[in-house]
């Protein structure tokens, strides 16, 4: 998203001989979502208990980065991109202003003269003649026709074309602005609250069934920008929605064998209809051009995770475990961007449990998650036209390691 304004230089100015671009890019980001949870369980009977609680989520994202020293290669020469495009804008603006520029010649009775006749009479210079001809050529007129046109005809052609030239000049000026140095110093902060309810049912010592529901978490992050930040609001807006959907978790546990325990889980994410905010890539493309083109991040289908865990009790004090998890959050293409994306995944993991003492237990484990690559097509661009399109492919893998100590006070 940082590179979008400059990645369009070569295709956008290929007719002018653009061959390459360069820039100094840097970016650092951090994202911390704390979960502080308090809850209580009430035992209704030996088989049934219920749980109620709340999770508080103080959240903070920090983004820092810059785009500096943007250059464009024209032929074999490198130019500061903003100044080079700005000079183009000046030239196109001159074509847009041409009806006014030519009016004094017509007022002085030169309406029937050709450009060559005016040059021969010393009324215009060769440079001025070439400037007028340049705009006519951009209109698609051949040189023979230009040579035969008088000033009245030339002014008429420019009057018709002037709005198009003005629109192009405005686009070039905006592009020139977009190619100036940019800095991001954005901090996003907010707090969400999640009510949680649960039921646990154990028909006997071998089987256990648990159901938990987490309510939808409303989490809006307020964006604040440092004094040097001149691009963060374009990317993120004034507020970023980071809502978390309602979550239903169902677990089934079996420990009928001394040496084996098994856990099966299914988690449903009610993520359709949740406000996930705007697509950051769209914000970068259309934020200063046409905000109606910015898509909300959407979900196509309800997300899920299905997991299985097996624990092998090697002794009364030591056990090992293995497990697997597959999941798909069901996101639409409009959800995905380089700032945040979610792909179908498969996870494998293993761990150990060691009862260090009567009340103290050590747990440790690791997992590796493999995400399926997702390719997203972006269509249309304010500078390159509606027919322009390109693809992004998002993929990753994550490795997690955790250690925990638990102490039973009863």
């Amino acid at each position: 998203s940082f590179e979008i304004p400059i990645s369009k230089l070569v295709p956008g100015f290929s007719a002018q001989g653009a061959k390459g671009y360069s820039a100094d890019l840097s970016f650092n980001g951090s994202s911390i979502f704390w979960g502080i949870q308090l809850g209580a369980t009430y035992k209704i009977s030996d088989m049934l208990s219920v749980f109620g609680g709340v999770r508080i989520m103080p959240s903070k994202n920090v983004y820092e980065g810059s785009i500096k020293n943007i250059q464009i290669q024209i032929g074999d020469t490198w130019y500061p991109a903003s100044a080079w495009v700005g000079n183009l804008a000046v030239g196109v603006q001159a074509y847009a202003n041409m009806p006014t520029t030519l009016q004094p010649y017509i007022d002085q009775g030169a309406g029937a003269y050709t450009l060559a006749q005016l040059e021969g009479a010393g009324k215009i210079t060769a440079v001025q003649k070439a400037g007028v001809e340049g705009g006519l050529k951009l209109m698609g007129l051949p040189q023979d026709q230009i040579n035969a046109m008088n000033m009245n005809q030339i002014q008429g052609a420019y009057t018709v074309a002037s709005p198009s030239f003005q629109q192009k000049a405005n686009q070039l000026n905006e592009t020139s602005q977009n190619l100036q140095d940019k800095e991001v110093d954005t901090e996003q902060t907010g707090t969400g609250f999640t009510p949680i309810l649960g039921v646990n049912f154990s028909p006997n010592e071998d089987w256990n069934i648990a159901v938990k529901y987490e309510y939808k978490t409303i989490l809006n992050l307020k964006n604040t920008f440092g004094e040097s930040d001149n691009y963060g609001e374009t990317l993120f807006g004034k507020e970023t929605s980071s809502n978390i959907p309602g979550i239903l978790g169902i677990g089934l546990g079996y420990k009928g064998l001394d040496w084996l325990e098994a856990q099966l889980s299914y988690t449903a994410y009610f993520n359709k209809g949740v406000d996930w905010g705007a697509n950051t890539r769209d914000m970068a493309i259309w934020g200063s051009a046409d905000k109606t083109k910015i898509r909300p991040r959407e979900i196509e289908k309800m997300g899920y995770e299905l997991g299985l865990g097996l624990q092998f009790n090697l002794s009364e004090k030591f056990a090992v475990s293995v497990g697997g998890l597959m999941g798909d959050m069901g996101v639409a293409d409009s959800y995905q961007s380089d700032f945040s994306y979610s792909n179908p995944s498969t996870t494998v993991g293993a761990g150990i449990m060691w009862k260090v003492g009567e009340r103290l237990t050590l747990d440790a484990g690791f997992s590796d998650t493999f995400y399926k690559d997702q390719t997203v097509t972006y269509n249309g661009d304010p500078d390159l036209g509606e027919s322009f399109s390109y693809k992004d492919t998002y993929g990753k893998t994550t490795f997690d390691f955790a250690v925990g100590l638990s102490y039973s006070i009863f």
Side-chain angles (χ1 to χ4, degrees), residues 4 7 281 285 376-381 388-392:
I4 282 175
S7 66
R281 175 60 65 91
I285 297 172
V376 178
T377 300
Y378 293 90
N379 294 309
D381 185 89
F388 181 77
S389 67
Y390 61 94
K391 298 179 184 295
D392 269 1

Side-chain angles (χ1 to χ4, degrees), residues 237-316:
K238 295 183 180 296
E239 191 174 80
T240 301
S241 176
S242 291
N243 294 339
I244 299 171
I247 301 172
L248 175 67
I250 303 173
L252 176 65
Y254 174 75
K255 53 181 180 178
L257 302 174
D258 291 339
W259 59 274
L260 176 65
E261 297 181 26
Q263 309 284 343
L264 178 67
S265 70
Y266 174 79
T267 305
Y269 295 87
F270 300 94
N271 45 21
K272 291 194 69 173
V274 174
D275 183 2
W276 299 97
N279 185 286
T280 305
R281 175 60 65 91
D282 285 0
M283 294 279 284
I285 297 172
W286 298 102
S288 59
D290 185 356
K291 294 187 184 300
T292 64
K293 300 281 189 179
I294 299 174
R295 298 168 297 171
R297 301 172 74 202
E298 294 177 324
I299 302 291
E300 288 182 342
K301 57 186 178 182
M302 190 171 71
Y304 78 93
E305 288 179 336
L306 182 64
L308 174 66
L310 301 174
Q311 178 172 301
F312 301 93
N313 301 315
L314 304 183
S315 70
E316 290 185 359

